[in-house]
Coordinates of all heavy atoms in Angstrom, one line a residue:
R1142 N 69.8 78.9 48.6 CA 69.2 79.9 47.7 C 68.2 80.7 48.4 O 67.9 81.8 48.2 CB 68.3 79.0 46.6 CG 67.8 80.0 45.5 CD 66.9 79.2 44.6 NE 67.5 78.0 44.1 CZ 66.7 76.9 43.7 NH1 65.5 77.0 43.5 NH2 67.4 75.8 43.3
H1143 N 67.5 80.3 49.5 CA 66.6 81.1 50.3 C 67.3 81.9 51.3 O 66.8 83.0 51.7 CB 65.5 80.2 51.1 CG 64.5 79.6 50.1 ND1 63.7 80.4 49.4 CD2 64.4 78.3 49.6 CE1 62.9 79.5 48.7 NE2 63.3 78.3 48.7
L1144 N 68.3 81.4 51.8 CA 69.1 82.2 53.0 C 69.9 83.4 52.4 O 70.2 84.4 53.0 CB 70.1 81.2 53.7 CG 69.4 80.3 54.6 CD1 70.4 79.2 55.2 CD2 68.6 80.9 55.8
L1145 N 70.6 83.2 51.2 CA 71.4 84.3 50.7 C 70.6 85.6 50.5 O 71.1 86.6 50.9 CB 72.0 83.9 49.4 CG 73.2 82.8 49.5 CD1 73.7 82.3 48.1 CD2 74.4 83.5 50.3
P1146 N 69.5 85.6 49.9 CA 68.7 86.9 49.8 C 68.4 87.6 51.0 O 68.5 88.7 51.3 CB 67.5 86.6 49.0 CG 67.7 85.3 48.2 CD 68.8 84.6 49.1
A1147 N 68.1 86.7 52.1 CA 67.9 87.2 53.5 C 69.0 87.9 54.1 O 69.1 88.9 54.8 CB 67.3 86.2 54.4
A1148 N 70.2 87.2 53.8 CA 71.5 87.7 54.5 C 71.8 89.0 53.7 O 72.3 89.9 54.4 CB 72.6 86.6 54.2
L1149 N 71.8 89.0 52.4 CA 72.1 90.2 51.7 C 71.1 91.4 52.1 O 71.6 92.5 52.3 CB 71.8 89.9 50.2 CG 72.1 91.2 49.2 CD1 73.6 91.6 49.4 CD2 71.9 90.9 47.9
A1150 N 69.8 91.1 52.3 CA 69.0 92.2 52.8 C 69.4 92.7 54.2 O 69.3 93.9 54.5 CB 67.5 91.6 52.8
A1151 N 69.8 91.8 55.0 CA 70.1 92.2 56.4 C 71.4 93.1 56.4 O 71.5 94.1 57.0 CB 70.4 90.9 57.3
A1152 N 72.4 92.6 55.5 CA 73.6 93.4 55.3 C 73.2 94.7 54.8 O 73.9 95.8 55.2 CB 74.6 92.6 54.3
L1153 N 72.4 94.9 53.8 CA 72.0 96.3 53.2 C 71.2 97.1 54.3 O 71.5 98.3 54.4 CB 71.1 96.1 52.0 CG 71.8 95.4 50.8 CD1 70.7 95.3 49.7 CD2 72.8 96.5 50.3
M1154 N 70.5 96.5 55.1 CA 69.7 97.2 56.1 C 70.7 97.7 57.1 O 70.6 98.8 57.7 CB 68.7 96.3 56.8 CG 67.4 96.0 56.0 SD 66.4 97.5 55.6 CE 66.0 98.0 57.3
G1155 N 71.7 96.8 57.4 CA 72.8 97.4 58.4 C 73.5 98.7 57.8 O 73.9 99.5 58.5
A1156 N 73.8 98.5 56.5 CA 74.6 99.6 55.9 C 73.7 100.9 55.9 O 74.2 102.0 56.2 CB 74.9 99.3 54.5
V1157 N 72.4 100.8 55.7 CA 71.6 102.0 55.7 C 71.4 102.5 57.0 O 71.5 103.7 57.3 CB 70.0 101.4 55.2 CG1 69.1 102.7 55.4 CG2 70.2 101.2 53.7
C1158 N 71.3 101.7 58.0 CA 71.3 102.1 59.5 C 72.6 102.9 59.9 O 72.6 103.9 60.5 CB 71.0 100.9 60.4 SG 69.4 100.3 60.3
I1159 N 73.7 102.4 59.5 CA 74.9 103.0 59.7 C 75.1 104.3 59.1 O 75.5 105.3 59.6 CB 76.1 102.1 59.4 CG1 76.1 100.8 60.3 CG2 77.4 102.8 59.5 CD1 77.1 99.8 59.8
A1160 N 74.7 104.4 57.7 CA 74.7 105.6 57.1 C 73.7 106.6 57.7 O 74.0 107.7 57.8 CB 74.2 105.4 55.6
G1161 N 72.5 106.2 58.2 CA 71.6 107.1 58.8 C 72.3 107.6 60.0 O 72.0 108.8 60.4
V1162 N 72.9 106.8 60.9 CA 73.5 107.3 62.0 C 74.5 108.3 61.7 O 74.7 109.4 62.4 CB 74.1 106.1 62.9 CG1 74.9 106.6 64.0 CG2 73.1 105.3 63.5
G1163 N 75.4 108.1 60.7 CA 76.4 109.0 60.3 C 75.9 110.4 59.9 O 76.4 111.4 60.3
A1164 N 74.7 110.2 59.2 CA 74.0 111.6 58.7 C 73.6 112.4 59.8 O 73.6 113.6 59.8 CB 72.9 111.2 57.6
A1165 N 73.0 111.7 60.8 CA 72.3 112.3 62.0 C 73.4 113.0 62.8 O 73.1 114.0 63.4 CB 71.5 111.3 62.9
Q1166 N 74.6 112.4 62.9 CA 75.7 113.0 63.7 C 76.4 114.2 63.0 O 77.1 114.9 63.6 CB 76.6 111.9 64.0 CG 76.0 110.9 65.0 CD 77.0 109.8 65.3 OE1 77.9 109.5 64.7 NE2 76.6 108.9 66.3
S1167 N 76.2 114.3 61.6 CA 77.0 115.3 60.9 C 76.3 116.6 61.2 O 75.2 116.7 61.5 CB 77.1 114.9 59.5 OG 75.8 114.9 58.9
G1168 N 77.0 117.7 60.8 CA 76.5 119.1 61.0 C 75.6 119.4 59.8 O 75.3 118.6 58.9
P1169 N 75.1 120.7 59.9 CA 74.2 121.2 58.8 C 74.9 121.0 57.4 O 76.0 121.3 57.2 CB 74.0 122.6 59.2 CG 74.2 122.7 60.7 CD 75.3 121.7 61.0
D1170 N 74.1 120.7 56.4 CA 74.5 120.6 55.0 C 74.0 121.7 54.2 O 72.9 121.9 53.9 CB 73.9 119.3 54.6 CG 74.4 118.9 53.1 OD1 75.1 119.7 52.5 OD2 74.1 117.8 52.6
A1171 N 75.0 122.7 53.9 CA 74.6 123.9 53.2 C 74.2 123.5 51.7 O 73.4 124.2 51.2 CB 75.9 124.7 53.1
A1172 N 74.8 122.4 51.2 CA 74.5 122.1 49.8 C 73.0 121.6 49.8 O 72.2 122.0 48.9 CB 75.3 120.9 49.3
H1173 N 72.5 120.8 50.7 CA 71.1 120.4 50.9 C 70.3 121.7 51.2 O 69.1 121.8 50.6 CB 71.0 119.4 51.9 CG 69.5 118.9 52.1 ND1 68.9 119.0 53.4 CD2 68.7 118.3 51.2 CE1 67.7 118.5 53.2 NE2 67.5 118.1 51.9
G1174 N 70.8 122.6 52.0 CA 70.0 123.8 52.2 C 69.8 124.6 50.9 O 68.8 125.1 50.8
K1175 N 70.8 124.6 50.1 CA 70.6 125.4 48.8 C 69.5 124.7 48.0 O 68.6 125.3 47.3 CB 72.0 125.3 48.1 CG 71.8 126.0 46.7 CD 73.2 126.0 45.9 CE 73.0 126.7 44.6 NZ 74.3 126.7 43.8
D1176 N 69.5 123.3 47.9 CA 68.4 122.6 47.2 C 67.0 122.9 47.7 O 66.1 123.2 46.9 CB 68.7 121.1 47.2 CG 69.9 120.8 46.4 OD1 70.5 121.5 45.6 OD2 70.5 119.7 46.7
L1177 N 67.0 122.9 49.1 CA 65.7 123.3 49.8 C 65.3 124.7 49.5 O 64.1 125.0 49.1 CB 65.8 123.1 51.2 CG 65.9 121.6 51.7 CD1 66.2 121.7 53.3 CD2 64.8 120.8 51.4
F1178 N 66.2 125.6 49.5 CA 65.9 127.0 49.2 C 65.5 127.3 47.7 O 64.4 127.9 47.5 CB 67.2 127.9 49.4 CG 66.9 129.4 49.3 CD1 66.6 130.1 50.3 CD2 67.2 130.0 48.1 CE1 66.3 131.5 50.2 CE2 66.9 131.4 47.9 CZ 66.5 132.1 49.0
V1179 N 66.1 126.7 46.8 CA 65.7 126.9 45.4 C 64.2 126.2 45.1 O 63.5 126.8 44.5 CB 66.8 126.0 44.5 CG1 66.2 126.0 43.0 CG2 68.1 126.8 44.5
A1180 N 64.0 125.1 45.8 CA 62.8 124.4 45.6 C 61.6 125.1 46.3 O 60.5 125.2 45.8 CB 62.9 123.0 46.1
S1181 N 61.8 125.8 47.5 CA 60.7 126.2 48.3 C 60.8 127.7 48.7 O 59.7 128.2 49.1 CB 60.6 125.4 49.7 OG 60.5 124.0 49.3
C1182 N 61.9 128.3 48.6 CA 62.1 129.7 49.2 C 62.4 130.7 48.1 O 62.0 131.9 48.3 CB 63.3 129.7 50.3 SG 63.0 128.4 51.4
A1183 N 63.0 130.3 47.0 CA 63.5 131.3 46.1 C 62.4 132.0 45.4 O 62.6 133.2 44.9 CB 64.4 130.5 44.9
S1184 N 61.2 131.5 45.2 CA 60.1 132.2 44.7 C 59.7 133.4 45.4 O 59.1 134.3 44.8 CB 58.9 131.2 44.5 OG 58.5 130.7 45.7
C1185 N 59.9 133.5 46.7 CA 59.6 134.6 47.5 C 60.9 135.6 47.7 O 60.9 136.8 47.6 CB 59.0 134.3 48.8 SG 57.3 133.5 48.7
H1186 N 62.0 134.9 48.1 CA 63.2 135.6 48.5 C 64.2 135.7 47.4 O 65.3 136.4 47.7 CB 63.9 134.9 49.7 CG 62.9 134.9 50.9 ND1 62.8 136.0 51.7 CD2 62.2 133.9 51.4 CE1 61.9 135.6 52.7 NE2 61.5 134.4 52.6
G1187 N 63.9 135.4 46.2 CA 64.9 135.6 45.1 C 65.8 134.5 45.0 O 66.3 134.1 46.1
A1188 N 66.3 134.2 43.8 CA 67.3 133.1 43.6 C 68.6 133.3 44.3 O 69.2 132.5 44.7 CB 67.4 132.8 42.2
G1189 N 68.9 134.6 44.2 CA 70.3 135.0 44.8 C 70.2 135.6 46.2 O 71.1 136.4 46.6

C-alpha cells in the first residue's frame, strides 16, 4: 500500500520529464504565440 503510490508518482514524474524534453526540442509554437499575443500584445498592436 505504501510502495504503489510512490511507484505511481515516479512513473508520472518520468512522463513529465519526457514530455518536457520533447517540448524543449520542438520548434516554435505559433498557436501558443497567438495566445501570448492576445493576452499581452493585442491591446497595443491590435487583435488582427
Side-chain angles (χ1 to χ4, degrees):
R1142 189 188 313 161
H1143 290 291
L1144 286 175
L1145 282 174
L1149 180 60
L1153 290 174
M1154 287 296 293
V1157 170
C1158 290
I1159 293 172
V1162 171
Q1166 292 176 347
S1167 62
D1170 184 352
H1173 179 237
K1175 179 180 180 180
D1176 294 338
L1177 292 173
F1178 184 88
V1179 171
S1181 305
C1182 311
S1184 58
C1185 289
H1186 295 281

